[in-house]
Amino acid sequence: MTTSMTSDSQPCMNKNILVVEDDKLSANLIESYLTKFGYAVTCAADGESAWNILLQDTTRFKCILLDYMLPDIDGMEVLHRIKKAPGLSEIPVIFVTSLNDVETIQNAFAHGAFSYLTKPLDIKLMKSIVHAAIDRCKINFDIAKDRQESERSLELLNSGIFHCRTLDEAQLLAKTLAMACPDSGKVSSGLLELLINGIEHGMLDITYDDKTKLVLSESWKEEVNRRLKLKCYLDKKVTVLFERKFGEIVLTIRDDGPGFDCQCYLEFDPARAMHPHGRGIAMACMFNLDNVEFLGNGNTVRVTISTGHNSPTL
């Protein structure tokens, strides 16, 4: 095991990354680049060592780069353990492997992988995906921290209309509405993907190709914030209607955009596995939310979540 420091010999606070890689050359290469990018890196050469490191301090790491093929337990087993462990399940896991068959990629995402990189590594792509994973980790832990305090009060909410325009407002709204639902951690992630889609693609006309370039240049948030200030977008927003019904919660999300052809994004497409984005809606539909239905021209989506109760709260 090795630990690297940033260039000024101080640990990069809140940017600790665990790299699980049995090939020493590959591990050294990844470590070298991540350290150059300002991250503090810890390396483990096998799955059991990685697992023991994670258990020592469940709050230490903000991202995990995981090889699929390891000399003891494989990467999938490590991922299973992480996703089942309190305190670890919210950490984004990025597979880094030479395996590129469709079944393996689908299996990784189906079990909760954040992203999937194939060897030889595209360093620029790795940097952008790690950057996005660190951001997502912060969101995940913020949601988990506030969840218990607010869940009971949100059980009293029967109906309401909410609006958001910014990424921060989308995060707050997803977190708040999810606390009214069972399994709020999963629901919040799914709602956040749908709200962000409404803001960036619906409100602000950011296309798929636009976002690819912005994510790779790590300027996506800056461009979102820039467009929000433009006169042509000042009156646009995302609206959410919350309704508690018999045995279910229905959330209707509508943006002020022209809509889009959502069909190709509803299911996981292996062709987009190595893209720096483009899986959020599919992940939300397949793993985070009970039922997702896009309506009309695609600018309205209805989410139905089973509550297990026979009547709304009075």
Side-chain angles (χ1 to χ4, degrees):
M1 179 186 74
T2 60
T3 302
S4 294
M5 302 294 183
T6 54
S7 57
D8 60 358
S9 299
Q10 294 295 323
C12 187
M13 299 305 293
N14 299 320
K15 290 188 177 182
N16 292 296
I17 296 177
L18 177 62
V19 174
V20 189
E21 171 63 70
D22 62 311
D23 182 83
K24 191 171 182 178
L25 183 61
S26 295
N28 289 342
L29 178 66
I30 294 171
E31 180 183 11
S32 174
Y33 276 108
L34 290 177
T35 302
K36 180 180 177 182
F37 298 147
Y39 298 104
V41 181
T42 298
C43 294
D46 57 68
E48 289 292 355
S49 297
W51 182 242
N52 290 330
I53 292 170
L54 288 168
L55 292 181
Q56 289 173 11
D57 183 355
T58 59
T59 64
R60 178 180 177 186
F61 297 103
K62 307 308 177 188
C63 178
I64 301 169
L65 271 64
L66 178 63
D67 192 2
Y68 207 105
M69 297 181 291
L70 295 168
D72 50 0
I73 59 174
D74 63 21
M76 187 57 65
E77 173 59 25
V78 177
L79 177 63
H80 286 163
R81 294 186 187 184
I82 291 169
K83 292 304 174 183
K84 291 180 180 179
L88 296 176
S89 61
E90 305 294 346
I91 302 175
V93 177
I94 301 169
F95 271 112
V96 181
T97 177
S98 58
L99 298 176
N100 60 5
D101 60 283
V102 171
E103 184 177 354
T104 300
I105 295 172
Q106 288 179 325
N107 194 35
F109 283 109
H111 288 87
F114 177 80
S115 193
Y116 196 101
L117 297 171
T118 57
K119 300 174 183 177
L121 278 173
D122 181 325
I123 301 303
K124 186 176 181 180
L125 180 60
M126 180 184 73
K127 181 185 178 185
S128 66
I129 288 179
V130 168
H131 181 84
I134 296 286
D135 280 350
R136 177 49 58 89
C137 186
K138 183 181 184 303
I139 292 172
N140 290 347
F141 277 99
D142 285 348
I143 289 171
K145 180 180 178 181
D146 295 338
R147 190 178 301 150
Q148 291 183 340
E149 298 177 2
S150 303
E151 277 179 343
R152 294 194 65 184
S153 63
L154 266 295
E155 290 176 1
L156 303 175
L157 178 64
N158 283 330
S159 65
I161 298 175
F162 304 84
H163 305 287
C164 67
R165 295 190 73 251
T166 70
L167 297 177
D168 286 343
E169 289 172 353
Q171 179 182 339
L172 177 61
L173 184 55
K175 176 173 64 176
T176 300
L177 295 179
M179 288 175 186
C181 306
D183 206 350
S184 57
K186 287 175 59 177
V187 171
S188 62
S189 295
L191 291 180
L192 183 59
E193 293 292 350
L194 296 177
L195 292 174
I196 289 176
N197 179 73
I199 291 172
E200 62 183 4
H201 299 310
M203 283 174 44
L204 303 178
D205 300 321
I206 296 176
T207 67
Y208 187 93
D209 290 339
D210 289 339
K211 186 170 182 179
T212 298
K213 296 174 184 176
L214 292 168
V215 171
L216 287 173
S217 64
E218 297 181 14
S219 59
W220 169 65
K221 287 185 178 180
E222 289 79 3
E223 178 61 13
V224 169
N225 292 332
R226 186 190 72 82
R227 293 196 187 199
L228 283 170
K229 298 174 184 177
L230 298 180
K231 185 177 180 180
C232 57
Y233 299 123
L234 287 177
D235 295 330
K236 293 190 176 184
K237 61 186 178 298
V238 175
T239 301
V240 182
L241 171 63
F242 176 99
E243 300 173 281
R244 190 186 297 272
K245 299 186 176 182
F246 291 93
E248 62 187 23
I249 289 172
V250 179
L251 295 156
T252 305
I253 303 169
R254 180 178 58 80
D255 64 66
D256 290 335
F260 74 114
D261 183 3
C262 60
Q263 292 304 312
C264 62
Y265 298 102
L266 297 181
E267 296 183 359
F268 172 73
D269 183 355
R272 293 197 298 270
M274 267 64 80
H275 292 189
H277 69 104
R279 300 172 295 276
I281 292 177
M283 297 291 282
C285 295
M286 296 169 66
F287 309 120
N288 298 114
L289 303 171
D290 293 345
N291 184 271
V292 179
E293 181 183 5
F294 279 83
L295 307 174
N297 62 1
N299 75 336
T300 302
V301 56
R302 183 166 57 211
V303 178
T304 305
I305 300 164
S306 175
T307 62
H309 302 303
N310 293 324
S311 63
T313 304
L314 299 177

